[in-house]
Amino acid sequence: MHGEYKVPGGKLVVVDLEVEDGVLRHVRVAGDFFLEPDEAFDALSHALEGAPADTDAAGLAARIDAALPAGSVLYGLTSEGVGVAVRRALAHATDWTDYDWQLIHEAPQSPALLMALDEVLTEEVAAGRRPPTLRVWEWESPAVVIGSFQSLRNEVDQEGTERHGVQVVRRISGGGAMFCEPGNAITYSLSVPDSLVQGLSFADSYAYLDDWVLEALGDMGINAWYQPLNDIATDAGKVAGAAQKRVAGGHGAVLHHVTMSYDIDAQKMVEVLRIGREKLSDKGTRSAKKRVDPLRRQTGLPREAVIERMLDSFRARYGLTAGKATDEEMARARELARTKFSSPEWTARVP
């Protein structure tokens, strides 16, 4: 069995192993990480030898920590990362490079249609009728997007949205509300087979699916990191938030979408969103306007250039072929946009 895991912000860990009589055998750990002293390298594999095959990643990490020589230094590597690589091997997880990735980047669409395409495309990936897909959104009009389980009245200032002509839509994933305007937001979705995140905890899958973005931002001179559970932060502040939805059917799939702040009308944001004091306090700031620091200021690049550099980074790592939603997919999405994502019943699912 073979498993790979790139530690978020770190290096690749590769594990090869066999299972005999319910325990790990012939375990070999490798990768492009750094490790001192040299004896610590052998300790990694030896610590896992004989471990019960149902040991979780945390339990495997504990075995490694106990076996490492005193004073060991791990750089680009964590004992937890090795544990995750083992779990991915046991789960027969796939890797990014196992797939032919398709890009969808089309003309601006209505907020309701953008929500519907997430559902349709991810269902198609789950059914095996569509390859793993990266979709870049273009907003036709401003919107407040609330999470699947959020209260409409608690999150949205109805008077503010009406005054500013902002549509309110509810997405299928959890997480918090976001304010998006054409030209100001960079939003993308990853619709991936469930096998890509096999062996990862729910929290680890966020960091794993966001890692390529951190590298892309780094190429633009931005020191960015993953901030649990679902934020991307920089030295200047938060720049993005992510959300996920697991989709059943076929072999299963995961929807992972991210909204990045290229620019923002901070005053309008606080007039259309109700941002509570408790939410601000756990971010270490008292002002909603200071929670997000736009990429426009940090990069000095046009929005289109930021998107293109992100796509170039993805393409260089995993390959990416231009595509589009099929006629059948678009027809289903338009129907869902009309009957579900534009309906008061769905939008006020949680009043």
Side-chain angles (χ1 to χ4, degrees), residues 14-225:
V14 181
V15 175
D16 292 283
L17 57 85
E18 297 174 14
V19 176
E20 297 177 359
D21 299 323
V23 300
L24 307 186
R25 295 297 184 196
H26 313 297
V27 181
R28 299 180 302 280
V29 179
D32 59 357
F33 48 81
F34 300 91
L35 181 62
E36 294 290 348
D38 203 54
E39 294 77 17
F41 177 66
D42 291 333
L44 291 177
S45 298
H46 292 160
L48 299 171
E49 193 72 22
D54 60 356
T55 307
D56 62 15
L60 296 170
R63 291 176 67 103
I64 292 170
D65 290 337
L68 286 173
S72 294
V73 178
L74 290 69
Y75 184 75
L77 171 72
T78 64
S79 56
E80 292 84 358
V82 178
V84 170
V86 171
R87 296 309 313 168
R88 285 176 59 76
L90 293 167
H92 301 286
T94 55
D95 185 68
W96 295 81
T97 55
D98 292 332
Y99 300 105
D100 295 322
W101 289 87
Q102 185 174 113
L103 169 67
I104 296 179
H105 188 188
E106 298 182 335
Q109 294 162 325
S110 71
L113 183 57
L114 292 169
M115 303 301 116
L117 279 167
D118 262 356
E119 182 169 330
V120 170
L121 296 179
T122 308
E123 286 178 348
E124 289 297 289
V125 171
R129 293 187 291 264
R130 157 168 289 282
T133 299
L134 168 62
R135 180 170 68 96
V136 179
W137 303 20
E138 293 295 345
W139 295 88
E140 186 177 81
S141 57
V144 165
V145 184
I146 59 176
S148 181
F149 313 111
Q150 287 189 297
S151 163
L152 178 62
R153 69 167 67 96
N154 289 347
E155 299 296 330
V156 179
D157 188 313
Q158 184 175 353
E159 180 181 328
T161 57
E162 292 175 353
R163 182 170 66 253
H164 292 292
V166 175
Q167 183 180 355
V168 180
V169 290
R170 185 185 294 274
R171 62 181 184 268
I172 61 173
S173 63
M178 59 189 191
F179 171 50
C180 301
E181 290 186 291
N184 280 358
I186 297 175
T187 306
Y188 66 86
S189 299
L190 285 168
S191 296
V192 307
D194 184 68
S195 57
L196 184 62
V197 297
Q198 282 296 308
L200 300 177
S201 68
F202 185 79
D204 286 340
S205 70
Y206 273 85
Y208 184 68
L209 295 175
D210 281 339
D211 192 61
W212 71 275
V213 182
L214 305 185
E215 182 172 288
L217 291 173
D219 292 341
M220 288 181 262
I222 298 176
N223 178 34
W225 61 89

Side-chain angles (χ1 to χ4, degrees), residues 1 69 92 96 115 122 193 196 243 274 292 326 330 343:
M1 300 177 188
H92 301 286
W96 295 81
M115 303 301 116
T122 308
L196 184 62
R274 300 185 187 277
V292 180
T326 67
M330 286 302 302
S343 71

Side-chain angles (χ1 to χ4, degrees), residues 332-345:
R332 284 175 55 202
R334 290 191 183 98
E335 180 65 10
L336 269 180
R338 182 183 68 82
T339 60
K340 178 177 180 178
F341 293 101
S342 296
S343 71
E345 292 78 14

